Amino acid sequence: MNNSKFKKEKLKIKDKYDCCSVQASSDSLYSASNSSSKSPNSFGAHEIGTPWFDGTEGVTQCPILPGDTFVYKFVVDRQGTYLYHAHYGMQREAGLYGSIRVSLPDGESEPFSYDYDRSIILSDWYHNSTYEQAAGLSSIPFVWVGEPHSILIQGKGRFNCSTPGIEAGLCNTTNPECTPYALTVIPRKTYRLRIGSLTSLSALSFEIEGHNMTVVEADGHYVEPFVVQNLFIYSGETYSVLITADQDPSRNYWASAKVVSRNSNTPNGLAIFNYYPNHPRRSPPTVPPPGPRWNDTEPRLAQSIAIKSHQGFIHPPPQTSDRVIVMLNTQNRINGNVRWSINNVSFNLPHTPYLISLKHNLLHTFNQNPPPDGYDFANYDIYSVAKNVNATTSNGIYKLKFNTTVDIILQNANTMNPNNSETHPWHLHGHDFWVVGYGKGKFDNFKDPKNYNLVNPIMKNTVPVHPYGWTALRFRADNPGVWAFHCHIESHFFMGMGVVFEEGIEKLGSLPTSIMGCGDTKGFHRP
Ligand SMILES: O=C1O[C@H]([C@@H](O)CO)C(O)=C1O
């Protein structure tokens, strides 16, 4: 199928949601009703012409107050698997999320076939509240959130009863609510399994004992199919994999999600891959697969590199870019607080959302100096703890020239702990980007661009930067609005690991008043 034709089609949200009470019509009307606390909701949609419905507090809208209802109305512009979640403080981690499946218009077909379509969400779970965690992250001395107590597969998990601080007796495995999620399959049938990760922290390796998975979709784009035994998935990403129930049908199998990239003591998340007609609670007769070694970066990098655009759906990137922004990711100390920074600038959100400030000329509400386009390349040793870990905070934003092509180089580095570099899943709002390259070590701006994949790179909206490595992205600044780009680890964005882009704001009409009411827009009352 021709991709441009495909993009022009107005796609419908299928009348199917995976885990939530959302209203949907063909144009997708999402109504968020808030019974407890403030919580804008963000989607993986592009919000072309409706940037005010992107759902990012401080960027595109004011928070939704307790008791308020906020209606998100936007056009769903492409097929695929998407996620939505709260985008205020650390509320996503507290469980405000779900997934959205967008089907193809009638009469169009996908470049692969399957018998059944299923979705699961992977997440992680803490027993303590996110407010307590947020307080710890902004305290002196710093209190880190630590590793999650559980990994959840479709909302179900287990935890180690000996975890300090957890009340004995809580881990009641005989409670029916504690039984693992069962994905029931009919022998010999092929399943499209849509897997989304909404972990707050954990990078995961997901596998189904004894079954290979063929990856066919990533973040809404068709992938040149490739087979994996375990799928590495980072917070904010979605994948579709095909699995055929072709093993001994007289038993069940384990599905397992293991934390990678961090030395975690969180028990692997387990679910049951249940061959009908075996009982869905019948434990598989085998021990669950142990999963890959947590600190082996090679297979994760290899998977990232293996993801290519499906041959029939290649939409090649522009061969050159107009601007290159190198983003050094570092952990820093600012006035005694532990923070994350990009090019030594740690991000903080303004009280007045940028979109409103820019449209209504409230320019005093945020720092008008843009953050830097790079860092002191020659003198920065990415393999060591920085000699000077100080940084500054700012709420300044990058202004992109409309309709230009922008390259972003995410450069990873050592944290403030010796011999430690973490994986960061970076998520861009309002766009898909081409992932033109990954590399180890320090990005070489002379050599590395020559090896970019400008032929069949995948387009995505979330991508990992691996420990001590770099990831290069290219996108077109062609969606008028203000867009967050941030690490999808909940605590890292909270600690300043993000930036904001503005492009083509002058092309937008008037803003809905429903997004107003906070900061300097207090007088601009909601209807
Ligand atoms: O931001 C973080 O802080 C801790 C650690 O570096 C300091 O305790 C950690 O693992 C993070 O990802």
Side-chain angles (χ1 to χ4, degrees):
M1 187 185 9
N2 170 309
N3 207 32
S4 56
K5 173 173 158 246
F6 173 64
K7 274 210 119 176
K8 273 186 230 129
E9 297 284 349
K10 194 169 164 193
L11 300 174
K12 284 196 272 181
I13 272 200
K14 209 176 182 181
D15 201 11
K16 161 82 180 84
Y17 286 84
D18 296 306
C19 111
C20 55
S21 53
V22 289
Q23 303 167 8
S25 71
S26 58
D27 275 350
S28 179
L29 178 76
Y30 181 94
S31 167
S33 263
N34 195 354
S35 59
S36 53
S37 48
K38 302 170 175 186
S39 60
N41 285 270
S42 176
F43 309 83
H46 300 108
E47 304 293 349
I48 298 162
T50 52
W52 40 81
F53 291 143
D54 186 44
T56 36
E57 184 267 331
V59 182
T60 61
Q61 73 168 96
C62 292
I64 306 167
L65 298 177
D68 259 7
T69 296
F70 188 97
V71 177
Y72 291 96
K73 194 168 194 289
F74 57 93
V75 173
V76 179
D77 54 64
R78 51 179 302 113
Q79 64 74 40
T81 312
Y82 301 96
L83 302 168
Y84 69 88
H85 58 79
H87 216 292
Y88 176 79
M90 291 171 65
Q91 287 186 346
R92 185 190 89 220
E93 173 184 322
L96 217 175
Y97 54 69
S99 75
I100 296 178
R101 180 191 298 181
V102 184
S103 59
L104 276 173
D106 291 344
E108 302 216 356
S109 55
E110 283 164 319
F112 45 85
S113 53
Y114 48 89
D115 300 300
Y116 296 102
D117 198 341
R118 300 280 183 268
S119 305
I120 54 169
I121 297 181
L122 308 179
S123 54
D124 49 17
W125 187 252
Y126 291 87
H127 290 254
N128 44 344
S129 91
T130 55
Y131 297 106
E132 185 188 330
Q133 291 191 342
L137 293 175
S138 32
S139 298
I140 302 172
F142 174 70
V143 183
W144 173 237
V145 297
E147 295 300 313
H149 294 111
S150 303
I151 299 299
L152 309 183
I153 301 182
Q154 197 61 352
K156 295 237 186 173
R158 56 191 189 127
F159 67 96
N160 181 352
C161 305
S162 59
T163 308
I166 301 299
E167 218 181 297
L170 264 182
C171 59
N172 175 2
T173 45
T174 57
N175 182 333
E177 285 191 9
C178 298
T179 55
Y181 171 72
L183 180 71
T184 302
V185 294
I186 299 169
R188 289 179 300 283
K189 296 291 182 195
T190 297
Y191 288 78
R192 173 183 188 168
L193 185 60
R194 299 172 188 253
I195 309 169
S197 172
L198 278 163
T199 53
S200 59
L201 175 69
S202 317
L204 296 175
S205 163
F206 176 79
E207 67 184 296
I208 298 178
E209 188 190 9
H211 294 72
N212 282 335
M213 300 184 279
T214 305
V215 183
V216 291
E217 182 216 344
D219 294 2
H221 293 270
Y222 297 132
V223 165
E224 193 55 36
F226 66 98
V227 177
V228 295
Q229 208 191 358
N230 54 288
L231 177 79
F232 295 109
I233 180 165
Y234 306 92
S235 180
E237 287 189 317
T238 68
Y239 288 98
S240 283
V241 297
L242 301 182
I243 306 163
T244 301
D246 56 3
Q247 297 300 304
D248 173 5
S250 68
R251 52 163 287 195
N252 290 337
Y253 297 82
W254 293 112
S256 165
K258 177 195 164 120
V259 176
V260 289
S261 182
R262 300 185 68 93
N263 191 3
S264 173
N265 52 7
T266 310
N268 295 356
L270 291 179
I272 293 181
F273 196 65
N274 164 230
Y275 272 63
Y276 182 83
N278 296 303
H279 196 284
R281 293 211 191 130
R282 194 168 130 202
S283 274
T286 39
V287 285
R293 280 193 299 129
W294 72 268
N295 54 356
D296 193 356
T297 312
E298 290 299 325
R300 284 185 270 130
L301 181 62
Q303 179 188 299
S304 293
I305 292 169
I307 305 174
K308 302 279 170 10
S309 217
H310 190 287
Q311 246 190 3
F313 297 84
I314 297 172
H315 182 196
Q319 299 296 295
T320 55
S321 72
D322 301 301
R323 180 171 175 184
V324 179
I325 305 177
V326 182
M327 296 190 175
L328 175 69
N329 293 210
T330 54
Q331 195 186 34
N332 301 82
R333 202 174 295 284
I334 306 180
N335 300 330
N337 288 114
V338 177
R339 303 277 304 179
W340 286 89
S341 309
I342 304 309
N343 299 337
N344 250 24
V345 179
S346 185
F347 179 71
N348 53 18
L349 281 164
H351 295 295
T352 308
Y354 294 109
L355 184 62
I356 315 173
S357 301
L358 288 162
K359 271 320 263 185
H360 288 260
N361 229 15
L362 307 172
L363 300 183
H364 58 279
T365 58
F366 69 93
N367 186 341
Q368 293 301 300
N369 296 320
D373 272 22
Y375 67 101
D376 182 7
F377 241 82
N379 295 316
Y380 197 92
D381 174 7
I382 64 153
Y383 292 104
S384 310
V385 176
K387 285 185 208 88
N388 177 356
V389 294
N390 292 339
T392 54
T393 55
S394 172
N395 56 20
I397 64 174
Y398 292 99
K399 295 195 167 205
L400 306 177
K401 208 163 164 211
F402 190 67
N403 255 333
T404 56
T405 303
V406 180
D407 280 2
I408 304 288
I409 318 297
L410 293 164
Q411 174 68 63
N412 214 337
N414 206 103
T415 63
M416 290 197 291
N417 304 316
N419 304 315
N420 176 245
S421 179
E422 302 185 356
T423 305
H424 302 282
W426 277 84
H427 172 65
L428 178 59
H429 289 245
H431 306 76
D432 288 337
F433 45 72
W434 289 273
V435 189
V436 293
Y438 288 95
K440 293 182 193 172
K442 207 192 230 186
F443 177 77
D444 182 326
N445 62 355
F446 181 70
K447 273 205 288 195
D448 290 321
K450 297 196 172 95
N451 297 321
Y452 282 170
N453 175 7
L454 301 176
V455 178
N456 60 351
I458 187 71
M459 292 190 90
K460 290 185 101 256
N461 59 55
T462 307
V463 79
V465 56
H466 294 289
Y468 299 112
W470 56 264
T471 302
L473 319 174
R474 179 165 292 181
F475 70 96
R476 296 273 307 145
D478 57 2
N479 190 6
V482 188
W483 307 106
F485 179 48
H486 60 93
C487 176
H488 214 262
I489 292 177
E490 194 84 309
S491 46
H492 286 182
F493 183 46
F494 186 84
M495 293 159 73
M497 200 167 200
V499 299
V500 165
F501 298 119
E502 177 274 329
E503 78 221 26
I505 194 110
E506 64 289 347
K507 303 195 183 306
L508 294 170
S510 43
L511 307 176
T513 50
S514 61
I515 63 170
M516 302 178 187
C518 59
D520 271 28
T521 70
K522 278 207 180 81
F524 308 12
H525 278 305
R526 291 178 169 168

